[in-house]
């Protein structure tokens, strides 16, 4: 048998055996395929397009739940009177009513008799709005005055759904594959969005928004991870760089659609926004599974089929790519110690081909095979432990990274969405204020593209949050200190520093989408990203109420956002710089064990040469 015979597609494991991950440098496979060939371009576009429809429904409530000017509906005082603190309607006219003056406020009706206030009550006859009632679900269901916090609750329910989805759906993606979870969630996202347009009551709307949040996270986070795993190490920043331009473009498109359709009912606008997700019905046949996920889960046959398919689309010699994919296995055989199970041409690691062929199995081989069985069991247990949630509590390094990541996601999510939600108040024009709040994200995206691979992830986080925190604090001071009232062009200055603060928060938030997946190994990457996203969703649950808070305490939202942003530059010093580093495949690749290492035993040489061993290799008993 030729010792250089390559592993064939069907010889990676014995039939019926449990497949264990083999440490390979998948980056080399990605490079040999061509980092942005036809295959990668198609997959990249398919996984990036959902950013548009995700952005639509994430912030559509700003327009669909817009609060119009309103007042209490008028009362026919000729057929009514008041007494005992209540309005009483009657059929006969009363001359006394002719001297009454009724004032209709936003939330109350006041009755005076010339100069004396006689009576005040809530809007007993409903409300009148400056726009037709069907233009917003707020006006359709009278979610104003004592129900004024309910419009924000709809967004909070979506954030709760996003929290559930980030903690549940992405865990399924780690266990059962990226593609099935991604496709299922995207299709359900489309179906739920359509159903939202037919919500008969506010309660049903809350249920649909909850479901939208769940499936949005299953779609968004899984696609983000698939994009990161699609490219080699030196190109990992590319999806985040493109996404930082696509996301604000989606928000601008959302604003444009709502502006052009402002004469339509909110339900019709929701249907139009939902139509952008209809392509999800075809993604089952268009999107491919992540090569990294297939490889780390030992699905060698599927991995090689996908490599062959990608090589064909890219016009690359598949044989060359397979040689790269398998070369680490040859290195495995020449390594003095390997703790992984990997059969070679039907034989276990280190088995002497010539001895087995001739039926010569001596005492050393039996010791050798016993060592392999022990290590196979140890490796299988390690992989199961890594897939357990407890790894985030047992491993101090992972626990630290997770805690800091959660704080950053919480802070940036609350500040980012809160600033977007209140951005229409930046100017007198509702749509212009929103557009300015979004347009500033475009230079933030350009800054991310320029900086992320030049100064690294940590410095980018440090600078962006420092700029954001200082700018927001300045805007709050200028808006609320009486001494600043006499400054020339004060409103323009406040607008400028507010947008600069939004710039910093957007830049930091965009960096997190790239940085967070790089902090965790492949075996727990989706789960780690999902846990961080849960923290972001908690921030997202609070963010919508910044609109209500601003109406009562205009200075408080900006103060909170600034304070949180200024804490992050202090915390990033405990995180590693991941720029230029290959993604770890397992927790062990991070150089950290979840428990103290057992006492060292005399090493058993598992990776032996293909050539016949000499007796002196292990030593024969005397």
């Amino acid at each position: 048998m030729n010792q250089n015979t390559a592993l064939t597609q069907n010889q990676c494991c014995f039939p019926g055996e449990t497949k264990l991950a083999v440490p390979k440098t998948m980056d080399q496979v990605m490079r040999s395929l061509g980092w942005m060939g036809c295959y990668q371009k198609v997959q990249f576009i398919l996984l990036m397009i959902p950013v548009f429809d995700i952005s639509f429904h994430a912030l559509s409530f700003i327009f669909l739940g817009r609060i119009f000017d309103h007042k209490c509906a008028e009362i026919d005082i000729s057929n009514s009177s008041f007494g005992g603190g209540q309005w009483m309607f009657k059929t006969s006219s009363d001359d006394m009513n002719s001297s009454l003056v009724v004032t209709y406020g936003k939330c109350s009706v006041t009755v005076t008799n010339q100069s004396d206030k006689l009576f005040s009550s809530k809007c007993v006859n409903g409300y009148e709005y400056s726009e037709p009632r069907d233009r917003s679900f707020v006006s359709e269901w009278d979610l104003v005055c004592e129900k004024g916090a309910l419009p924000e609750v709809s967004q909070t329910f979506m954030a709760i759904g996003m929290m559930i989805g980030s903690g549940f759906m992405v865990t399924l993606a780690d266990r059962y594959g990226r593609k099935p979870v991604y496709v299922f969630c995207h299709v359900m996202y489309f179906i739920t969005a359509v159903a939202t347009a037919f919500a008969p009551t506010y309660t049903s709307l809350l249920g649909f928004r909850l479901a939208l949040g769940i499936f949005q996270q299953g779609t968004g986070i899984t696609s983000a991870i698939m994009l990161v795993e699609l490219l080699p190490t030196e190109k990992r920043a590319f999806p985040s760089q493109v996404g930082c331009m696509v996301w604000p473009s989606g928000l601008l498109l959302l604003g444009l659609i709502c502006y052009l359709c402002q004469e339509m009912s909110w339900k019709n606008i929701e249907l139009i926004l939902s139509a952008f997700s209809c392509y999800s019905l075809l993604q089952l046949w268009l999107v491919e599974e992540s090569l990294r996920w297939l490889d780390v889960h030992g699905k060698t046959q599927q991995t090689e089929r996908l490599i062959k398919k990608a090589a064909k689309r890219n016009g690359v010699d598949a044989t060359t790519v397979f040689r790269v994919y398998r070369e680490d296995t040859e290195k495995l055989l020449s390594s003095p110690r390997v703790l992984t199970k990997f059969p070679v041409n039907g034989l276990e690691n280190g088995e002497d081909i010539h001895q087995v062929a001739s039926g010569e199995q001596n005492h050393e081989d039996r010791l050798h095979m016993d060592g392999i069985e022990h290590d196979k069991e140890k490796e299988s247990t390690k992989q199961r432990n890594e897939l357990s949630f407890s790894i985030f509590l047992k491993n101090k390094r992972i626990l630290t990274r997770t805690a800091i990541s959660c704080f950053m996601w919480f802070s940036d999510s609350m500040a980012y969405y809160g600033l977007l939600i209140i951005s229409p108040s930046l100017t007198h024009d509702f749509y212009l204020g929103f557009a300015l709040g979004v347009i500033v994200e475009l230079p933030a995206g350009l800054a991310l593209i320029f900086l992320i691979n030049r100064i690294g992830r940590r410095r980018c986080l440090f600078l962006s949050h420092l700029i954001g925190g200082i700018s927001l604090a300045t805007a709050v001071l200028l808006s609320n200190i009486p001494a600043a009232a006499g400054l020339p062009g004060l409103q323009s200055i406040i607008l400028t520093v507010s947008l600069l603060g939004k710039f910093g928060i957007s830049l930091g938030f965009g960096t997190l989408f790239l940085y967070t997946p790089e902090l965790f190994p492949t075996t727990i990457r989706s789960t780690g990203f999902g846990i961080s996203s849960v923290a972001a969703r908690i921030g997202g649950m609070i963010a919508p109420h910044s609109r209500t808070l601003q109406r009562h305490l205009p200075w408080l939202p900006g103060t909170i956002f600034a304070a949180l942003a200024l804490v992050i530059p202090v915390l990033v010093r405990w995180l590693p710089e991941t720029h230029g580093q290959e993604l770890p495949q397992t927790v062990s690749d991070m150089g950290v064990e979840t428990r103290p290492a057992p006492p060292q035993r005399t090493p058993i040489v598992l990776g032996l040469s293909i050539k016949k061993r000499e007796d002196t290799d292990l030593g024969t008993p005397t």
Side-chain angles (χ1 to χ4, degrees), residues 142-157:
D142 288 335
L143 305 179
V144 292
C145 296
E146 66 271 11
K147 299 180 181 178
L150 292 182
E152 284 75 18
V153 172
S154 68
Q155 188 71 2
T156 299
F157 263 68

Side-chain angles (χ1 to χ4, degrees), residues 35-36 40-41 44-45 48 224 227-228 230-246 445 448-449 452-453 457 510 514 518 579:
W35 81 273
M36 192 48 82
Q40 285 86 353
K41 288 178 181 178
F44 191 91
I45 292 173
M48 187 60 69
L227 283 167
V228 170
L230 180 67
L231 304 175
T233 296
E234 64 274 9
K235 302 297 181 181
R236 286 202 308 264
F238 188 66
S240 184
Q241 292 168 340
V242 175
C244 281
M245 303 301 291
V246 175
L448 180 67
I449 293 173
I452 195 71
N453 286 329
R457 281 52 158 161
L514 170 66
E518 295 178 341
H579 172 52

Side-chain angles (χ1 to χ4, degrees), residues 149-267:
L150 292 182
E152 284 75 18
V153 172
S154 68
Q155 188 71 2
T156 299
F157 263 68
M158 185 169 187
I160 293 173
M162 294 164 74
M163 181 172 63
I164 296 172
S166 61
F168 176 66
M169 290 296 181
V170 294
T171 303
L172 296 181
D174 273 340
R175 289 183 176 271
Y176 302 110
R178 316 299 198 209
K179 177 182 175 178
V181 174
Y182 167 74
V183 173
F184 170 76
C185 288
H186 202 179
V187 171
M188 292 304 299
Y189 187 66
F190 167 60
I191 294 174
T192 307
V194 173
T196 303
F198 298 95
T201 63
Y202 179 68
T203 303
S204 60
L205 176 69
L206 294 180
F208 288 132
R209 294 290 288 179
L210 180 72
L212 268 177
I214 294 174
F215 298 124
Q216 188 226 56
Q217 288 300 283
T219 304
I221 294 183
T222 307
S223 64
I225 291 171
M226 293 173 75
L227 283 167
V228 170
E229 295 179 345
L230 180 67
L231 304 175
T233 296
E234 64 274 9
K235 302 297 181 181
R236 286 202 308 264
F238 188 66
S240 184
Q241 292 168 340
V242 175
C244 281
M245 303 301 291
V246 175
W247 174 264
S249 299
L251 293 179
L252 287 175
L253 183 57
L254 167 66
L256 178 62
I257 292 172
C258 293
Y259 174 77
L260 295 176
C261 301
Q262 57 183 301
E263 301 298 324
M264 300 174 63
S265 71
W266 72 270
K267 292 185 176 181

